[in-house]
Amino acid sequence: MQELILYSTVGCHLCELALDEISHCLSSRSLVIKEVDIADDPDLLKEYGVSIPVLFYSVTEEKLYWPFDRTAVNDFLIKNFD
């Protein structure tokens, strides 16, 4: 099963909204979301501190920055997995 990373942090309401948008798009795919808290890593905090939430696929190194909706998530998934 392939994995997408959602860079986020605890208490981020935008991250919760992003996870909801992403979850709706994954129901028909064999993908999982791994949430990574940027507060636990100084390098991630420096890179994404003002940008979270960010959806990341490590194989292609593609990133989808907030704000995004289901259409943008679906486009991201099609680009990387279809």
Side-chain angles (χ1 to χ4, degrees):
M1 189 168 288
Q2 294 183 320
E3 179 180 88
L4 293 168
I5 295 171
L6 179 63
Y7 291 117
S8 61
T9 197
V10 174
C12 170
H13 74 282
L14 295 177
C15 299
E16 293 170 9
L17 292 172
L19 187 57
D20 184 55
E21 294 294 315
I22 296 164
S23 296
H24 280 90
C25 298
L26 295 182
S27 61
S28 64
R29 298 177 183 270
S30 296
L31 300 169
V32 294
I33 292 289
K34 176 183 177 185
E35 289 186 79
V36 174
D37 191 333
I38 65 167
D40 296 335
D41 183 316
D43 293 330
L44 292 177
L45 187 59
K46 182 178 179 182
E47 185 169 352
Y48 299 112
V50 296
S51 302
I52 59 171
V54 177
L55 185 61
F56 177 68
Y57 182 47
S58 62
V59 172
T60 61
E61 297 190 6
E62 291 284 330
K63 298 174 186 173
L64 181 62
Y65 289 88
W66 187 261
F68 51 79
D69 59 11
R70 292 177 195 173
T71 300
V73 172
N74 274 319
D75 291 345
F76 180 85
L77 296 175
I78 289 168
K79 179 178 180 182
N80 288 284
F81 297 100
D82 290 348

